[in-house]
Amino acid sequence: MYPAELVKPMREDLTSVGFTELHTTEDVQAAMKKEGTTLVVVNSVCGCAAANARPGARMALQNAKTPDNLFTVFAGVDREATELARNFMVPFPPSSPSMALFKDGELVHMLERHHIEGRPAELIADNLIDAFNEYC
């Protein structure tokens, strides 16, 4: 587990723009029952999360259409919550960072680590915006 003071600014990168953190399996279960569109970001301490994933997610929220619900779990910190959230992302293998868009509980779009790593935040935002425009 990572120290709280290390992950605090990484958490705030997302919570400051409206994401709600899911710390427990109960939190995840309640979040996944929400109607409408739901974006779940699997946050992490890796460099590509800071350089690309979190900024890309924040940029995408400037779009006219955005998900109804914004949630995040933190890999390596909220282990059980992250594991359960990833179960909703099957058939995609676990990766962090990653982003999943759900519509009424059904997975409709997925960005895995290999879609994020090495790509600029703007490209990640564009990918999410395309999904928002289609499903939100």
Side-chain angles (χ1 to χ4, degrees):
M1 179 170 287
Y2 300 104
E5 61 274 3
L6 173 72
V7 300
K8 184 177 188 271
M10 297 172 198
R11 289 180 183 274
E12 290 173 350
D13 259 356
L14 296 177
T15 59
S16 68
V17 294
F19 283 85
T20 299
E21 293 182 295
L22 306 175
H23 298 288
T24 67
T25 55
E26 291 80 11
D27 292 343
V28 173
Q29 289 168 343
M32 296 311 296
K33 290 179 183 173
K34 297 272 187 185
E35 291 184 9
T37 51
T38 300
L39 179 65
V40 177
V41 173
V42 179
N43 202 349
S44 70
V45 298
C46 82
C48 63
N52 310 23
R54 290 189 300 265
R58 288 193 319 266
M59 282 183 226
L61 295 179
Q62 300 306 308
N63 191 48
K65 291 183 176 183
T66 58
D68 301 310
N69 310 294
L70 302 171
F71 296 109
T72 182
V73 293
F74 208 109
V77 178
D78 302 315
R79 293 179 194 261
E80 290 175 352
T82 301
E83 183 178 331
L84 182 58
R86 286 175 169 159
N87 285 343
F88 286 96
M89 299 172 194
V90 170
F92 297 95
S95 67
S96 54
S98 61
M99 302 177 199
L101 183 65
F102 299 86
K103 185 165 187 171
D104 296 325
E106 179 187 345
L107 180 63
V108 294
H109 187 77
M110 184 75 187
L111 277 172
E112 298 174 84
R113 180 186 177 113
H114 69 89
H115 297 122
I116 295 168
E117 194 171 29
R119 290 179 171 77
E122 295 81 8
L123 189 60
I124 294 161
D126 288 345
N127 183 299
L128 287 172
I129 287 169
D130 287 345
F132 295 171
N133 287 338
E134 183 174 350
Y135 297 106
C136 296

